[in-house]
């Protein structure tokens, strides 16, 4: 006879190891069983990461993209989208304005935009570090090893590159001009260069099976990521997947909860995408294993143009308002905003300053 849900949860809490079949069983749970999963993940989060919630200020600095991912509103074939780029001084000013709001980390994110050559990005990273003392996460997509190395040497701490789906056939179907092999290689290169590596996946992609979702979690565990961003796929009307169904809140929460059991010391964000399909989405994630939020600190005038999916939250808000709002959410859960840099708690990153 197979194990029941409580036995599987107990094994995961005690050992951090599960078979694919066990992961699928957890992802199939509902009602009281799912509630037990969320409670166990919340307990592991509290034991391993405490009640601190780390804030990462997200700067969406360019919505130009040379790729054509079939799910994303920034894809190059979306010709009606007005495009923008922030120059170096503007990025510095946006980051500087985030410091008095209490941010210690900024995430620089964009489409894949070669307008920003390697030297320009290195200069931005260097200045953010030197002039503002910020911890830097980059999320610029796939670039080559020399570029990743230059940015690491310039002071970048972390790199966020979601694997999106570990189902190689689905990956190819969603990314007409990209390969699963290169995605994996990019993540291994980032790991080898000493970045704190963030990866992650979307939940509810068309054709994505429970087996594939279990593979996503086991892939993140095998890569031993320092951060795992797991959010629902939200269909965008301006993409080929306009009529697809999209991910559910429940399945996304189960994915986050199992991720917490498999990766007890990873940072897990309560994603904006989850907050966009459910007003309480981020609160639910924070009580199902998540311990990070990435509030938007992009100036208001650009936000509507970075609409990767519809009904994205905070489009009419500004950085100060979002910071206030998130502070309220965190306090309402009896948690507190972390005041440290929020590096990975793994031993190999424990000596980092900033
Ligand atoms: N271009 C970089 C990259 O792809 O890594 C960073 C920017 S990209 C907009 C950031 C993330 O947005 C992707 O990793 C993807 O998971 C997410 N995303 C794009 N379209 C989405 C959609 N329709 N629903 C949910 N997430 C989406
Ligand atoms: Fe470009 Fe990233 Fe969107 Fe793909 S997911 S189209 S790489 S911005
Ligand atoms: Fe932006 Fe709540 S986080 S308004």
């Amino acid at each position: 006879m197979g194990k029941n849900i409580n036995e599987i949860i107990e094994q995961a809490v005690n050992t951090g190891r599960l078979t694919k079949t066990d992961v699928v069983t957890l992802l199939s749970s509902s009602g009281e069983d799912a509630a037990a999963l969320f409670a166990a993940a919340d307990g592991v989060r509290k034991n391993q990461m405490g009640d601190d919630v780390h804030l990462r200020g997200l700067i969406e600095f360019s919505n130009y993209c040379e790729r054509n991912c079939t799910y994303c509103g920034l894809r190059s074939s979306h010709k009606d989208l007005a495009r923008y780029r922030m120059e170096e001084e503007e990025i510095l000013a946006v980051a500087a304005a985030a410091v008095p709001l209490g941010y210690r980390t900024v995430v620089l994110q964009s489409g894949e935009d070669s307008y920003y050559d390697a030297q320009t990005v290195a200069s931005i990273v260097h200045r953010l570090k030197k002039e503002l003392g910020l911890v830097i996460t980059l999320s610029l997509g796939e670039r080559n090893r020399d570029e990743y190395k230059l940015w690491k040497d310039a002071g970048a701490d972390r790199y966020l590159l979601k694997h999106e789906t570990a189902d190689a056939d689905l990956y190819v179907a969603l990314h007409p001009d990209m390969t699963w092999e290169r995605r994996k290689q990019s993540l291994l290169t980032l790991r080898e260069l000493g970045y704190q590596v963030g990866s992650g996946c979307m939940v509810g992609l068309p054709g994505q099976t429970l087996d594939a979702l279990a593979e996503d979690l086991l892939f993140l565990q095998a890569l031993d990521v320092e951060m795992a961003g797991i959010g629902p796929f939200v269909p965008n009307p301006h993409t080929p997947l306009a009529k697809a169904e999209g991910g559910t809140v429940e399945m996304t929460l189960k994915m986050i909860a199992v991720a917490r059991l498999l990766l007890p010391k990873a940072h897990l964000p309560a994603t904006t995408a989850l907050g966009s399909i459910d007003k309480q989405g981020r609160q639910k994630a924070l009580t199902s294993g998540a311990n990070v939020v990435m509030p938007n600190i992009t100036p208001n005038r650009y936000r509507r143009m970075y609409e990767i999916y519809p009904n994205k939250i905070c489009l009419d808000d500004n950085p100060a308002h979002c910071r206030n709002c998130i502070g309220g959410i965190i306090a309402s859960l009896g948690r507190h905003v972390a005041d440290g840099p929020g590096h990975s708690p793994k031993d190999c990153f424990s000596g980092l300053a900033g």
Side-chain angles (χ1 to χ4, degrees):
M1 213 180 78
K3 286 173 270 186
N4 70 32
I5 291 266
N6 289 329
E7 286 166 345
I8 297 173
I9 293 174
E10 199 184 318
Q11 176 187 329
V13 171
N14 291 336
T15 69
R17 303 217 75 82
L18 290 174
T19 62
K20 188 156 98 178
T21 309
D22 288 346
V23 174
V24 168
T25 305
L26 292 181
L27 296 179
S28 313
S29 63
S30 58
E32 280 180 13
D33 289 342
L37 169 64
F38 300 146
D42 196 42
V44 172
R45 184 272 310 155
K46 194 176 171 68
N47 278 340
Q48 300 286 332
M49 309 299 269
D51 282 335
D52 275 358
V53 177
H54 298 276
L55 298 187
R56 322 293 200 198
L58 179 65
I59 306 177
E60 301 162 333
F61 68 90
S62 162
N63 73 345
Y64 280 83
C65 190
E66 289 147 25
R67 300 291 191 183
N68 217 7
C69 309
T70 54
Y71 44 82
C72 178
L74 307 191
R75 67 200 304 268
S76 55
S77 295
H78 186 191
K79 301 289 183 208
D80 298 337
L81 182 68
R83 305 276 174 170
Y84 72 92
R85 287 184 177 113
M86 294 186 205
E87 297 297 338
E88 178 166 338
E89 293 308 325
E90 189 174 9
I91 295 172
L92 262 290
V94 168
V99 173
L101 297 176
Y103 289 101
R104 303 279 314 270
T105 296
V106 289
V107 182
L108 297 184
Q109 191 179 79
S110 66
E112 290 204 13
D113 185 4
S114 55
Y115 172 87
Y116 298 88
D117 62 27
Q119 286 299 341
T120 305
V121 175
S123 164
I124 295 169
V125 168
H126 181 72
R127 290 184 60 195
L128 287 172
K129 205 113 222 168
K130 197 160 159 239
E131 296 172 23
L132 300 172
L134 285 163
V135 176
I136 318 293
T137 304
L138 295 176
S139 179
L140 282 57
E142 291 178 16
R143 302 282 282 246
N144 66 41
R145 188 182 192 284
D146 291 347
E147 295 175 291
Y148 287 153
K149 175 151 179 20
L150 186 74
W151 303 338
K152 183 76 182 64
D153 292 345
D157 299 273
R158 309 176 185 144
Y159 204 100
L160 171 58
L161 182 72
K162 287 166 72 175
H163 69 277
E164 313 296 2
T165 173
D167 175 333
D169 293 338
L170 183 55
Y171 187 91
V172 169
L174 296 171
H175 304 97
D177 47 2
M178 298 163 87
T179 69
W180 170 237
E181 284 310 313
R182 182 153 193 249
R183 195 63 158 192
K184 266 196 302 193
Q185 189 50 55
S186 299
L187 287 163
L188 293 175
T189 301
L190 292 164
R191 156 72 67 237
E192 178 222 322
L193 291 171
Y195 279 95
Q196 294 172 57
V197 176
S199 195
C201 59
M202 282 176 281
V203 178
L205 290 162
Q208 193 178 37
T209 59
L210 281 182
D211 223 60
L213 288 170
E215 288 286 0
D216 283 323
L217 294 170
L218 295 172
F219 176 80
L220 291 166
Q221 188 183 38
L223 195 62
D224 196 18
V225 291
E226 279 74 50
M227 196 276 244
I230 297 170
F233 157 62
V234 187
N236 185 321
H238 304 287
T239 66
L241 298 183
K243 298 214 160 20
E245 251 188 39
T248 64
V249 176
E250 178 91 353
M251 186 57 78
T252 305
L253 292 174
K254 286 189 279 186
M255 286 286 288
I256 293 170
V258 180
R260 172 56 69 208
L261 301 183
L262 294 177
L263 287 158
K265 287 190 185 302
H267 286 303
L268 299 182
T271 60
T272 301
L274 189 59
S276 298
I277 62 167
D278 179 345
K279 276 203 176 81
Q280 293 294 312
R282 288 174 299 178
Q283 288 87 327
K284 290 176 184 171
L286 286 169
T287 52
S288 304
N291 70 323
V292 169
V293 183
M294 293 167 61
N296 200 335
I297 58 168
T298 311
N300 184 271
R301 61 185 173 284
Y302 297 124
R303 291 189 181 194
R304 281 195 181 276
M305 290 183 267
Y306 205 87
E307 206 168 5
I308 49 189
Y309 47 76
N311 304 317
K312 195 168 161 230
I313 46 174
C314 308
L315 292 183
D316 295 321
D317 299 298
N318 63 39
H321 184 234
C322 288
R323 172 64 186 81
N324 225 358
C325 166
I326 284 292
I329 288 176
I330 291 167
S332 75
L333 299 172
R335 308 265 284 274
H336 23 81
V337 173
D339 52 16
H343 288 307
S344 163
K346 286 184 195 169
D347 290 346
C348 55
F349 297 113
S350 63
L352 295 177

